Structures are given as structure tokens and as C-alpha cells.
Amino acid sequence: MVSLTKVPSTAIQFYDSGTCPFAQRAWITLIEKKLKFEQKIVDLQNKPKHFKELYASIHPDPTAPAKVPIIIDGDNQLIESNVVSEYLDVQYRSSGVKLFPEDALQLAKVRWFVDLFSETFLPSLFGLLRADSEESLQAAKTKMDTALKNLNKFVEQHGSSKGGDYFLGGSYSFAEVAGTPFVHRASAALPALRGYSIDTAIQQQKLTRLDAWIKAALARPSYQETAPADETVAKSWQKFSGGFSGHVKQ
């Protein structure tokens, strides 16, 4: 049953690192839903005791490493970015943007897009970053090129261009919330660390629908408000590249 709650009675407590792309999904959702929240920044390299204890009290495995996001909404405590975003959207359905469509087919397609993005783009991104030889780097480049091609085809085939360039055309949805933080990280980190440009790959393959989607999603004010600087991304993501400094040719 959809909740009729309009706004939380007290500010939602939102634990974030300020740079985590997963937690950024929750941050964007809070803004899009026009909810009052208190952001609590956590240093993930030096996690405070109370943060680790809070996470352990929520996660079914109390030994699991503490991560962001965590939200506390009254008596409700949740972790995991997708779970948090869906909870906020349904709990406060009448406030702000509806990120998870009420239409069954549109909802299924948004979930499908997020699954495809998670299964293709994310492994390709980390494959490029973690490549440890010229051979593995070239294989990762090919995998990313293919992931972009498949995402473009999916948005063409199952999305909409009616009214705008979001996945659902004029309607901003969780498809953008879930994907944009990682597209930005890839666009900021890969050129510096691996010589791979998402934009160049898109232009070379003429992936016009994906190009329009990325530009629209990155231009969203809620994304601009929550996005870390490109320099911050490139520096913080250098840890994934190990000791190998190879670059691809595009």
C-alpha cells in the first residue's frame, strides 16, 4: 500500500562520505523528493566507532564492513543505495519527483535499465581501472565499448524520446539517479588514469541516444549539486589502478 505521508516529521539523518557514487544516489533522491535531511559526513578511511556500530545494528551480518549510505527516518533505519532510494520515493510518494514510476511497464523498464547498467557498465569501468597489463587493458576497452553500444540500443528500444532526453523522455527517474554518478566518475577518472574517454567512445560509435541521455542526466540540478569535482574523482579513484600505468588508444 502506497504511503500517504507527505513529509517526514523530523529531518532524515543521512550518513554519507561526500564522494561515494552509491551514497550519491540517496543524496540525489533526498533532493528530488524535497525532503528535509541532515547530512552526516563520514571519513571512510577512518570510520568512527558510532558509525560502525550503527551499520552493524542494521546489517544482518554484524561483521560486514560499514558503508554509506545509511538513513534514519524516525524509527526506520536502512542501508544500500537502491533500497534507500526506493523507500524514500514510496514513503513520500506525494512529495517531489516520482522516481519509480507507478505505471507497471515503465517501472519494469527502469528496473531493467538499472540492472543492465549494473551488469555491463560498472564491470567495464572497474575492469579498465584495474587492468594490470596491456592485454587486459585492451580487453577492458573492448568490453566498455560494447557496454556503451548495448546501453544505447536499450535506451533506443525500451526508453522514450517523448518530451526530453531522459530514459523515459521528459520524466526524470531512478534510471538517471542510479547511472549518472558512475558515468561521471568514468568520464572524470578514465581519461587521466587509462586514456579512455567515454565521450570519444560514444562519438566514434555514433551512439546518439546514449549521448543525449548522459548530457541530460548530468545537467540535472540535483546531480550538479551533489557531484564531486572532476579532480577529486580522478585523485580518489587512482587507488583502483594499482601499479599499472598503461593507457589505451582511441
Side-chain angles (χ1 to χ4, degrees):
M1 181 176 180
V2 175
S3 170
L4 298 178
T5 305
K6 292 184 179 180
V7 291
S9 57
T10 58
I12 295 170
Q13 305 299 299
F14 168 48
Y15 288 81
D16 180 26
S17 69
T19 58
C20 172
F22 289 103
Q24 191 182 2
R25 292 173 171 176
W27 192 0
I28 293 171
T29 299
L30 285 161
I31 293 171
E32 291 288 345
K33 298 303 295 180
K34 302 186 184 303
L35 300 174
K36 183 179 179 181
F37 65 95
E38 180 182 351
Q39 187 179 30
K40 296 178 178 290
I41 298 296
V42 176
D43 181 357
L44 296 180
Q45 303 306 313
N46 186 25
K47 301 171 187 176
K49 182 180 179 182
H50 77 274
F51 171 73
K52 292 188 287 186
E53 289 176 345
L54 174 60
Y55 189 88
S57 73
I58 302 170
H59 198 286
D61 179 1
T63 65
K67 301 182 294 184
V68 290
I70 301 176
I71 64 159
I72 302 175
D73 181 21
D75 294 331
N76 301 328
Q77 301 179 343
L78 289 171
I79 57 176
E80 299 297 333
S81 60
N82 292 5
V83 173
V84 166
S85 292
E86 184 165 8
Y87 163 79
L88 293 171
D89 190 54
V90 175
Q91 178 71 358
Y92 302 107
R93 197 63 167 165
S94 61
S95 180
V97 176
K98 292 180 175 64
L99 298 172
F100 290 81
E102 292 180 337
D103 178 83
L105 182 59
Q106 286 191 337
L107 177 59
K109 288 186 174 183
V110 166
R111 293 186 188 280
W112 191 5
F113 174 87
V114 174
D115 284 347
L116 180 67
F117 185 90
S118 300
E119 293 167 2
T120 60
F121 189 90
L122 294 190
S124 301
L125 167 58
F126 287 104
L128 277 165
L129 290 170
R130 290 171 173 154
D132 57 4
S133 66
E134 292 296 337
E135 183 179 1
S136 63
L137 183 60
Q138 185 57 46
K141 174 190 178 297
T142 300
K143 189 174 181 179
M144 177 59 89
D145 287 343
T146 302
L148 295 172
K149 181 180 178 180
N150 290 341
L151 284 169
N152 183 77
K153 183 177 180 180
F154 186 90
V155 178
E156 286 181 335
Q157 187 173 355
H158 297 291
S160 172
S161 296
K162 187 176 180 179
D165 291 323
Y166 297 128
F167 175 64
L168 296 177
S171 298
Y172 186 79
S173 74
F174 189 65
E176 286 74 46
V177 175
T180 316
F182 290 95
V183 171
H184 175 212
R185 267 63 171 191
S187 297
L190 290 178
L193 300 176
R194 289 293 179 248
Y196 184 94
S197 165
I198 295 291
D199 183 62
T200 298
I202 286 174
Q203 301 309 319
Q204 288 175 340
Q205 298 185 83
K206 299 185 168 104
L207 308 179
T208 55
R209 184 62 183 92
L210 184 63
D211 185 41
W213 175 74
I214 289 174
K215 288 176 179 174
L218 289 175
R220 185 79 175 184
S222 61
Y223 188 78
Q224 292 291 317
E225 183 178 342
T226 60
D230 288 358
E231 296 78 12
T232 300
V233 172
K235 183 177 179 179
S236 63
W237 280 51
Q238 193 167 10
K239 61 180 181 261
F240 295 115
S241 65
F244 180 66
S245 59
H247 280 52
V248 299
K249 295 181 180 179
Q250 284 185 291

PDB file of all heavy atoms in Angstrom, residues 181-197:
ATOM      1  N   PRO A 181      25.906   8.949 -11.356  1.00  0.00           N
ATOM      2  CA  PRO A 181      27.135   9.047 -10.554  1.00  0.00           C
ATOM      3  C   PRO A 181      28.308   8.260 -11.137  1.00  0.00           C
ATOM      4  O   PRO A 181      29.460   8.705 -11.055  1.00  0.00           O
ATOM      5  CB  PRO A 181      26.695   8.471  -9.201  1.00  0.00           C
ATOM      6  CG  PRO A 181      25.232   8.753  -9.133  1.00  0.00           C
ATOM      7  CD  PRO A 181      24.743   8.558 -10.535  1.00  0.00           C
ATOM      8  N   PHE A 182      28.016   7.130 -11.759  1.00  0.00           N
ATOM      9  CA  PHE A 182      29.097   6.299 -12.296  1.00  0.00           C
ATOM     10  C   PHE A 182      29.544   6.754 -13.679  1.00  0.00           C
ATOM     11  O   PHE A 182      30.725   6.622 -14.033  1.00  0.00           O
ATOM     12  CB  PHE A 182      28.673   4.836 -12.299  1.00  0.00           C
ATOM     13  CG  PHE A 182      28.586   4.267 -10.918  1.00  0.00           C
ATOM     14  CD1 PHE A 182      27.379   4.248 -10.250  1.00  0.00           C
ATOM     15  CD2 PHE A 182      29.718   3.801 -10.267  1.00  0.00           C
ATOM     16  CE1 PHE A 182      27.290   3.754  -8.953  1.00  0.00           C
ATOM     17  CE2 PHE A 182      29.644   3.311  -8.975  1.00  0.00           C
ATOM     18  CZ  PHE A 182      28.428   3.285  -8.310  1.00  0.00           C
ATOM     19  N   VAL A 183      28.623   7.285 -14.465  1.00  0.00           N
ATOM     20  CA  VAL A 183      29.022   7.878 -15.751  1.00  0.00           C
ATOM     21  C   VAL A 183      29.962   9.051 -15.501  1.00  0.00           C
ATOM     22  O   VAL A 183      30.986   9.197 -16.194  1.00  0.00           O
ATOM     23  CB  VAL A 183      27.781   8.334 -16.543  1.00  0.00           C
ATOM     24  CG1 VAL A 183      28.210   9.137 -17.770  1.00  0.00           C
ATOM     25  CG2 VAL A 183      26.945   7.141 -16.968  1.00  0.00           C
ATOM     26  N   HIS A 184      29.640   9.867 -14.508  1.00  0.00           N
ATOM     27  CA  HIS A 184      30.508  10.995 -14.178  1.00  0.00           C
ATOM     28  C   HIS A 184      31.875  10.513 -13.715  1.00  0.00           C
ATOM     29  O   HIS A 184      32.915  11.035 -14.149  1.00  0.00           O
ATOM     30  CB  HIS A 184      29.858  11.854 -13.092  1.00  0.00           C
ATOM     31  CG  HIS A 184      30.742  12.962 -12.607  1.00  0.00           C
ATOM     32  ND1 HIS A 184      30.722  13.429 -11.319  1.00  0.00           N
ATOM     33  CD2 HIS A 184      31.707  13.691 -13.241  1.00  0.00           C
ATOM     34  CE1 HIS A 184      31.622  14.387 -11.178  1.00  0.00           C
ATOM     35  NE2 HIS A 184      32.231  14.564 -12.328  1.00  0.00           N
ATOM     36  N   ARG A 185      31.902   9.514 -12.815  1.00  0.00           N
ATOM     37  CA  ARG A 185      33.197   9.005 -12.332  1.00  0.00           C
ATOM     38  C   ARG A 185      34.031   8.472 -13.493  1.00  0.00           C
ATOM     39  O   ARG A 185      35.240   8.714 -13.572  1.00  0.00           O
ATOM     40  CB  ARG A 185      32.993   7.900 -11.295  1.00  0.00           C
ATOM     41  CG  ARG A 185      32.973   8.351  -9.841  1.00  0.00           C
ATOM     42  CD  ARG A 185      31.855   9.250  -9.534  1.00  0.00           C
ATOM     43  NE  ARG A 185      31.686   9.548  -8.114  1.00  0.00           N
ATOM     44  CZ  ARG A 185      30.629  10.163  -7.631  1.00  0.00           C
ATOM     45  NH1 ARG A 185      29.641  10.540  -8.441  1.00  0.00           N
ATOM     46  NH2 ARG A 185      30.528  10.426  -6.339  1.00  0.00           N
ATOM     47  N   ALA A 186      33.384   7.745 -14.390  1.00  0.00           N
ATOM     48  CA  ALA A 186      34.105   7.202 -15.546  1.00  0.00           C
ATOM     49  C   ALA A 186      34.641   8.326 -16.427  1.00  0.00           C
ATOM     50  O   ALA A 186      35.784   8.271 -16.899  1.00  0.00           O
ATOM     51  CB  ALA A 186      33.184   6.293 -16.351  1.00  0.00           C
ATOM     52  N   SER A 187      33.828   9.349 -16.640  1.00  0.00           N
ATOM     53  CA  SER A 187      34.228  10.464 -17.504  1.00  0.00           C
ATOM     54  C   SER A 187      35.362  11.275 -16.889  1.00  0.00           C
ATOM     55  O   SER A 187      36.184  11.847 -17.613  1.00  0.00           O
ATOM     56  CB  SER A 187      33.030  11.378 -17.759  1.00  0.00           C
ATOM     57  OG  SER A 187      32.015  10.680 -18.448  1.00  0.00           O
ATOM     58  N   ALA A 188      35.404  11.318 -15.554  1.00  0.00           N
ATOM     59  CA  ALA A 188      36.443  12.100 -14.877  1.00  0.00           C
ATOM     60  C   ALA A 188      37.726  11.306 -14.657  1.00  0.00           C
ATOM     61  O   ALA A 188      38.828  11.857 -14.774  1.00  0.00           O
ATOM     62  CB  ALA A 188      35.908  12.597 -13.531  1.00  0.00           C
ATOM     63  N   ALA A 189      37.599  10.016 -14.337  1.00  0.00           N
ATOM     64  CA  ALA A 189      38.774   9.231 -13.938  1.00  0.00           C
ATOM     65  C   ALA A 189      39.471   8.535 -15.103  1.00  0.00           C
ATOM     66  O   ALA A 189      40.705   8.476 -15.149  1.00  0.00           O
ATOM     67  CB  ALA A 189      38.373   8.194 -12.882  1.00  0.00           C
ATOM     68  N   LEU A 190      38.709   7.989 -16.040  1.00  0.00           N
ATOM     69  CA  LEU A 190      39.321   7.156 -17.080  1.00  0.00           C
ATOM     70  C   LEU A 190      40.270   7.909 -18.018  1.00  0.00           C
ATOM     71  O   LEU A 190      41.321   7.359 -18.383  1.00  0.00           O
ATOM     72  CB  LEU A 190      38.231   6.444 -17.893  1.00  0.00           C
ATOM     73  CG  LEU A 190      37.476   5.341 -17.147  1.00  0.00           C
ATOM     74  CD1 LEU A 190      36.399   4.738 -18.040  1.00  0.00           C
ATOM     75  CD2 LEU A 190      38.434   4.249 -16.662  1.00  0.00           C
ATOM     76  N   PRO A 191      39.967   9.141 -18.439  1.00  0.00           N
ATOM     77  CA  PRO A 191      40.937   9.825 -19.309  1.00  0.00           C
ATOM     78  C   PRO A 191      42.287  10.024 -18.634  1.00  0.00           C
ATOM     79  O   PRO A 191      43.338   9.839 -19.268  1.00  0.00           O
ATOM     80  CB  PRO A 191      40.256  11.176 -19.591  1.00  0.00           C
ATOM     81  CG  PRO A 191      38.806  10.907 -19.431  1.00  0.00           C
ATOM     82  CD  PRO A 191      38.720   9.917 -18.303  1.00  0.00           C
ATOM     83  N   ALA A 192      42.267  10.373 -17.355  1.00  0.00           N
ATOM     84  CA  ALA A 192      43.523  10.624 -16.641  1.00  0.00           C
ATOM     85  C   ALA A 192      44.271   9.337 -16.329  1.00  0.00           C
ATOM     86  O   ALA A 192      45.503   9.281 -16.432  1.00  0.00           O
ATOM     87  CB  ALA A 192      43.225  11.379 -15.335  1.00  0.00           C
ATOM     88  N   LEU A 193      43.540   8.297 -15.957  1.00  0.00           N
ATOM     89  CA  LEU A 193      44.189   7.072 -15.477  1.00  0.00           C
ATOM     90  C   LEU A 193      44.411   6.030 -16.563  1.00  0.00           C
ATOM     91  O   LEU A 193      45.337   5.222 -16.461  1.00  0.00           O
ATOM     92  CB  LEU A 193      43.356   6.466 -14.346  1.00  0.00           C
ATOM     93  CG  LEU A 193      43.157   7.360 -13.114  1.00  0.00           C
ATOM     94  CD1 LEU A 193      42.235   6.679 -12.110  1.00  0.00           C
ATOM     95  CD2 LEU A 193      44.498   7.688 -12.464  1.00  0.00           C
ATOM     96  N   ARG A 194      43.556   6.034 -17.616  1.00  0.00           N
ATOM     97  CA  ARG A 194      43.660   4.986 -18.639  1.00  0.00           C
ATOM     98  C   ARG A 194      43.620   5.523 -20.065  1.00  0.00           C
ATOM     99  O   ARG A 194      43.664   4.752 -21.023  1.00  0.00           O
ATOM    100  CB  ARG A 194      42.533   3.962 -18.452  1.00  0.00           C
ATOM    101  CG  ARG A 194      42.705   3.080 -17.215  1.00  0.00           C
ATOM    102  CD  ARG A 194      43.908   2.170 -17.386  1.00  0.00           C
ATOM    103  NE  ARG A 194      44.143   1.309 -16.243  1.00  0.00           N
ATOM    104  CZ  ARG A 194      45.178   1.402 -15.424  1.00  0.00           C
ATOM    105  NH1 ARG A 194      46.075   2.361 -15.620  1.00  0.00           N
ATOM    106  NH2 ARG A 194      45.342   0.550 -14.429  1.00  0.00           N
ATOM    107  N   GLY A 195      43.501   6.849 -20.230  1.00  0.00           N
ATOM    108  CA  GLY A 195      43.471   7.411 -21.569  1.00  0.00           C
ATOM    109  C   GLY A 195      42.205   7.092 -22.337  1.00  0.00           C
ATOM    110  O   GLY A 195      42.167   7.219 -23.561  1.00  0.00           O
ATOM    111  N   TYR A 196      41.159   6.673 -21.619  1.00  0.00           N
ATOM    112  CA  TYR A 196      39.900   6.294 -22.268  1.00  0.00           C
ATOM    113  C   TYR A 196      38.861   7.365 -21.997  1.00  0.00           C
ATOM    114  O   TYR A 196      38.605   7.727 -20.848  1.00  0.00           O
ATOM    115  CB  TYR A 196      39.402   4.950 -21.728  1.00  0.00           C
ATOM    116  CG  TYR A 196      38.154   4.428 -22.408  1.00  0.00           C
ATOM    117  CD1 TYR A 196      38.257   3.546 -23.480  1.00  0.00           C
ATOM    118  CD2 TYR A 196      36.887   4.807 -21.983  1.00  0.00           C
ATOM    119  CE1 TYR A 196      37.116   3.061 -24.111  1.00  0.00           C
ATOM    120  CE2 TYR A 196      35.746   4.337 -22.606  1.00  0.00           C
ATOM    121  CZ  TYR A 196      35.860   3.455 -23.670  1.00  0.00           C
ATOM    122  OH  TYR A 196      34.731   2.982 -24.283  1.00  0.00           O
ATOM    123  N   SER A 197      38.239   7.859 -23.064  1.00  0.00           N
ATOM    124  CA  SER A 197      37.211   8.889 -22.951  1.00  0.00           C
ATOM    125  C   SER A 197      35.851   8.299 -23.305  1.00  0.00           C
ATOM    126  O   SER A 197      35.666   7.783 -24.414  1.00  0.00           O
ATOM    127  CB  SER A 197      37.515  10.071 -23.882  1.00  0.00           C
ATOM    128  OG  SER A 197      36.383  10.889 -24.042  1.00  0.00           O
TER     129      SER A 197
END
